Structure formats: structure tokens, C-alpha cells
Amino acid sequence: PEDARRAGLSGTVVVAFTVGASGAVTAHSIVRSSGQATLDAAVRGMMAGLHLPPPPDGIFRATVPVRFETR
């Protein structure tokens, strides 16, 4: 996020999510916060708007780190 970049914030948010048969993210939750509300909110927003290809088995679950770095 631009405001986080300007503030020099960096960190990693770990998010768990489920993709349903249509490819839409049907559920998501932050498993581990970055400690920065701005970064956590960016991941929530990203997950809310995410649409992926439909999974071959009808449902897909994953937990992934999302890393934010300033350069």
C-alpha cells in the first residue's frame, strides 16, 4: 500500500483462505498479523477482491505469507 510505503512499513501477514468451486475466495482469515494495521488491512482487501481459477477438486485451502517490503 502506498501509505505504508511512504511510512517505511514492512512486514509479513500470514493468511489462510478457501477457494470455492467457482474460483471465488469464500473465506479468509489472518493467521498471524504483521503488527501493522495498514498491512493487515491491505491483505484483507486483497483477499476480498481475489478471484482465482476454479480448483480441480471443487475446493482449495491454503495458508500463505504475504510479505511487504520497502525499497
Side-chain angles (χ1 to χ4, degrees), residues 43-71:
V43 170
R44 284 188 198 97
M46 177 184 73
M47 296 307 296
L50 190 61
H51 192 86
L52 300 168
D57 294 330
I59 194 165
F60 175 78
R61 289 184 180 92
T63 301
V64 298
V66 180
R67 185 176 175 133
F68 294 91
E69 295 180 1
T70 57
R71 293 186 181 207

Side-chain angles (χ1 to χ4, degrees), residues 1-7:
E2 187 57 37
D3 54 341
R5 184 176 298 133
R6 281 192 302 265

Side-chain angles (χ1 to χ4, degrees), residues 8-62:
L9 301 178
S10 61
T12 301
V13 179
V14 179
V15 61
F17 64 97
T18 302
V19 178
S22 71
V25 174
T26 58
H28 66 277
S29 64
I30 292 180
V31 176
R32 188 179 65 210
S33 169
S34 66
Q36 302 290 336
T38 301
L39 301 181
D40 294 353
V43 170
R44 284 188 198 97
M46 177 184 73
M47 296 307 296
L50 190 61
H51 192 86
L52 300 168
D57 294 330
I59 194 165
F60 175 78
R61 289 184 180 92

